[in-house]
Amino acid sequence: MTGAAGFIGAALVQRLLARGDVVHGYDNSNAPYRVCNLGNNRPVQLPRFIGLLEQNFGRTTEKRPLPMQPGDVPDTWADVSAPRRDVGYAPNTSIDDGVVARFVEWYRGYYN
């Protein structure tokens, strides 16, 4: 995240770190005031994402596939070429180990 040392940025960083997230803060970068789309730049199909949620929660879901809805997009992923070029951003958290497993761990802790 950029602006990690600012008041709002520092508070957000503290909350993310408290729940076990890894945070990379960039201040005084050569890309001031630029908004970057951060992610791992590897697309994940929705059925795989749902399957990982099911696996980590230990239960299956009822699925009712529908046609594309207004506002749906066929594909989406983070293009990290700008933050990689500007500040050396290098994502290294997989969807399996990071996003889903850590989300489920946080969810269970928060809602139990």
Short mmCIF file of all heavy atoms in Angstrom, two decimals, residues 23 66 87 94 104 111:
data_model
loop_
_atom_site.label_atom_id
_atom_site.label_comp_id
_atom_site.label_asym_id
_atom_site.label_seq_id
_atom_site.Cartn_x
_atom_site.Cartn_y
_atom_site.Cartn_z
N VAL A 23 1.90 -6.91 4.98
CA VAL A 23 1.70 -5.59 4.37
C VAL A 23 3.03 -5.06 3.88
O VAL A 23 4.02 -5.09 4.59
CB VAL A 23 1.10 -4.60 5.40
CG1 VAL A 23 0.95 -3.22 4.80
CG2 VAL A 23 -0.22 -5.12 5.93
N LEU A 66 -26.15 -19.22 -12.86
CA LEU A 66 -27.04 -18.33 -13.60
C LEU A 66 -26.28 -17.75 -14.78
O LEU A 66 -25.05 -17.71 -14.78
CB LEU A 66 -27.52 -17.19 -12.70
CG LEU A 66 -28.32 -17.58 -11.46
CD1 LEU A 66 -28.55 -16.36 -10.57
CD2 LEU A 66 -29.66 -18.18 -11.88
N VAL A 87 7.60 0.49 -7.93
CA VAL A 87 8.06 0.32 -6.54
C VAL A 87 8.60 -1.08 -6.24
O VAL A 87 8.85 -1.42 -5.09
CB VAL A 87 6.95 0.69 -5.53
CG1 VAL A 87 6.60 2.16 -5.61
CG2 VAL A 87 5.72 -0.18 -5.73
N SER A 94 -0.02 -17.18 -2.47
CA SER A 94 -0.90 -17.93 -3.36
C SER A 94 -2.34 -17.85 -2.89
O SER A 94 -2.62 -17.60 -1.72
CB SER A 94 -0.47 -19.40 -3.43
OG SER A 94 -0.83 -20.06 -2.24
N VAL A 104 -10.55 -17.56 5.87
CA VAL A 104 -11.37 -18.48 6.65
C VAL A 104 -10.93 -18.44 8.12
O VAL A 104 -11.77 -18.43 9.02
CB VAL A 104 -11.30 -19.91 6.07
CG1 VAL A 104 -11.94 -20.92 7.01
CG2 VAL A 104 -11.98 -19.94 4.70
N TYR A 111 -16.26 -14.31 13.83
CA TYR A 111 -17.68 -14.63 14.01
C TYR A 111 -17.94 -15.72 15.02
O TYR A 111 -19.09 -16.15 15.18
CB TYR A 111 -18.30 -14.96 12.65
CG TYR A 111 -18.48 -13.73 11.81
CD1 TYR A 111 -17.62 -13.45 10.76
CD2 TYR A 111 -19.50 -12.83 12.07
CE1 TYR A 111 -17.77 -12.30 10.00
CE2 TYR A 111 -19.67 -11.68 11.31
CZ TYR A 111 -18.80 -11.43 10.28
OH TYR A 111 -18.96 -10.29 9.54
#
